[in-house]
Amino acid sequence: MRTTTLITLLAAPLALAACDSGQDTAEMEDMPMAEDAMMMDGQDMPMTDTGNAMQSASAQGTVTAIDAEAGTITVDHGPVPAIEWPAMTMAFEADEQLRSEVSVGEGIAFEFRTGSEGSVITSITKE
Ligand SMILES: [Cu+2]
């Protein structure tokens, strides 16, 4: 019985020590993460590991469709070097106000945000 008590008493400080070393490990794991974040700046692929980070960019294109139900404007847009996009036709989310400002076949310059959640037009300028 006494032996059990002794072990319990000894185990308490050991558990505390284990907690301390656990914290040390966590701190060490932060270091490579910081390096990864720095490397991300120079990387080619914005879609990789950016989480919910959004990037802003501007582009020019032609409106090919407006979908009120989906809340999108589809744009045949030119290349967007800032975020390494080729020219393509794609749907952007756009609020009702923006959707009402454009019509199919119209040339537009627009600003948008893009990230893992999709791409959202934030402003439109007619060409
Ligand atoms: Cu696109």
Side-chain angles (χ1 to χ4, degrees), residues 40-47 55-58 77-88 112 114:
M40 294 275 306
D41 289 340
Q43 270 184 357
D44 294 340
M45 301 172 69
M47 300 306 274
Q55 292 184 291
S56 295
S58 56
H77 71 73
V80 190
I83 54 172
E84 304 193 359
W85 277 12
M88 71 182 98
F112 61 98
T114 186

Side-chain angles (χ1 to χ4, degrees), residues 5 62 83 112 122:
T5 309
T62 303
I83 54 172
F112 61 98
T122 53

Side-chain angles (χ1 to χ4, degrees), residues 78-124:
V80 190
I83 54 172
E84 304 193 359
W85 277 12
M88 71 182 98
T89 302
M90 63 184 281
F92 290 85
E93 288 174 47
D95 63 25
E96 190 175 3
Q97 172 65 36
L98 288 172
R99 292 198 309 273
S100 72
E101 291 175 12
V102 298
S103 51
V104 172
E106 198 167 33
I108 58 170
F110 59 102
E111 293 183 1
F112 61 98
R113 294 196 316 263
T114 186
S116 55
E117 304 287 301
S119 301
V120 185
I121 293 178
T122 53
S123 71
I124 293 176

